[in-house]
Amino acid sequence: MSDEARPSRTAVVIPAAGRGVRLGPGAPKALRALNGTPMLIHAVRAMAASRAVSLVVVVAPPDGAPEVKNLLDAHALPERTDYLVVPGGDTRQESVRLGLDALPEGIGIVLVHDAARPLVPVDTVDAVIEAVRDGAVAVVPALPVADTVKEVEPAERPGDPEQVVATPVRARLRAVQTPQGFDHDTLVNAHATVALTGEGATDDAGMVERLGAPVAVVPGHEEAFKVTRSLDLVLAEAVLARRRANDGF
C-alpha cells in the first residue's frame, strides 16, 4: 500500500486535568468512580474500543500524572491501543495543546474527547473518524436541541431576572458532544492561532471556525452526555446497568 493510500493513524487527546467543582469537593471529576471504576477509565476504553484508534494521550492534573499513569496501568485496554500520560496546564485549552505536543510523527487524525463523557458509543467515535478520513478538516457529533433556547442579556448579579434579547430558530441548533475529530495540522494551527490572539474558546471546533475552516456535524448519541452534576452520575450508573443487562457485562 502506498503512503497516499494508507489510512492516517488516529490518536485521541483526553484533557483530564480539571477539578470538576460542580460535582463537589474531592477527587478530580475524571477520577470519580462510576460503577466502581474511575470515569477516566471508562472514557479511555470508549476511545480504545474503536479499531481506528492507535494511541490515547491522557492529559493529567499537573501534579497527578504519576497517579493517573498507575491508574491506567492497572486497568486492561486493548493491546492494539497505546497510551501516554502527560501533565496538563491551567486551562483546558492549554491541556489540549500539551496533549498535541506529545503526539508522535505519523498521526494524521486527532480526536479530542472529554473525560467527563465516559459512555460515548463506539459507533459515534467511528463516525467522527470516518468523516475526517472522507475529507472534513473538523467534525463534531451533535444532537438536535429539544428545548426552546433564549438568548439573554446576563444579569449583573446572579439570580436577578435577565432580559430576553432573541429566540434562535431551534431547528438550526445542535448540542455538540465529543469526541471532536480533526485533521492534525488544522487543529495544531488552530491552537497556535488562538494562543497568539489571546482569545479563549469553549471547544476545539470553535478554534477551527476562527480559522475560517468548515466544521461538519455528524449524529451524536444520547449516551454521550457530559457528567457534570451529581444527577448525571445517577443517569450514568443507570446506563451502565442497562448495558450490563443487555450485553452481559
Side-chain angles (χ1 to χ4, degrees), residues 6-228:
R6 184 178 293 111
S8 297
R9 290 183 63 206
T10 299
V12 183
V13 174
I14 301 182
R19 302 302 301 181
V21 294
R22 279 176 287 182
L23 277 177
K29 178 164 55 177
L31 302 184
R32 300 293 181 90
L34 179 58
N35 192 35
T37 301
M39 276 199 296
L40 174 61
I41 299 300
H42 287 284
V44 172
R45 286 175 172 170
M47 297 298 101
S50 171
R51 290 189 171 275
V53 172
S54 59
L55 173 66
V56 177
V57 177
V58 176
V59 188
D63 57 352
E67 176 188 2
V68 171
K69 186 178 186 308
N70 290 338
L71 192 67
L72 288 168
D73 288 341
H75 291 80
L77 298 175
E79 291 184 1
R80 66 177 181 275
T81 306
D82 294 327
Y83 65 87
L84 296 173
V85 178
V86 298
D90 293 332
T91 65
R92 182 187 186 278
Q93 183 175 318
E94 184 180 356
S95 291
V96 172
R97 181 185 58 77
L98 290 169
L100 290 174
D101 290 345
L103 295 178
E105 294 289 334
I107 297 297
I109 297 173
V110 181
L111 307 187
V112 181
H113 183 58
D114 294 333
R117 297 184 190 271
L119 304 179
V120 56
V122 67
D123 288 349
T124 302
V125 181
D126 287 339
V128 171
I129 295 170
E130 190 62 29
V132 180
R133 284 182 173 174
D134 286 344
V137 296
V139 179
V140 298
L143 294 175
V145 175
D147 298 321
T148 296
V149 176
K150 300 291 185 182
E151 182 182 351
V152 302
E153 185 66 37
E156 293 184 1
R157 295 180 301 178
D160 283 356
E162 298 175 320
Q163 184 69 39
V164 172
V165 297
T167 303
V169 179
R170 189 171 64 184
R172 295 175 60 88
L173 300 178
R174 298 292 182 269
V176 173
Q177 302 174 325
T178 68
Q180 298 183 358
F182 305 92
D183 165 74
H184 172 272
D185 292 346
T186 299
L187 183 58
V188 169
N189 185 25
H191 270 265
T193 300
V194 170
L196 285 174
T197 62
E199 298 176 355
T202 57
D203 70 350
D204 296 274
M207 298 184 192
V208 173
E209 288 175 49
R210 293 182 186 181
L211 297 179
V215 177
V217 175
V218 298
H221 196 281
E222 61 182 4
E223 292 181 1
F225 62 90
K226 190 172 186 179
V227 177
T228 303

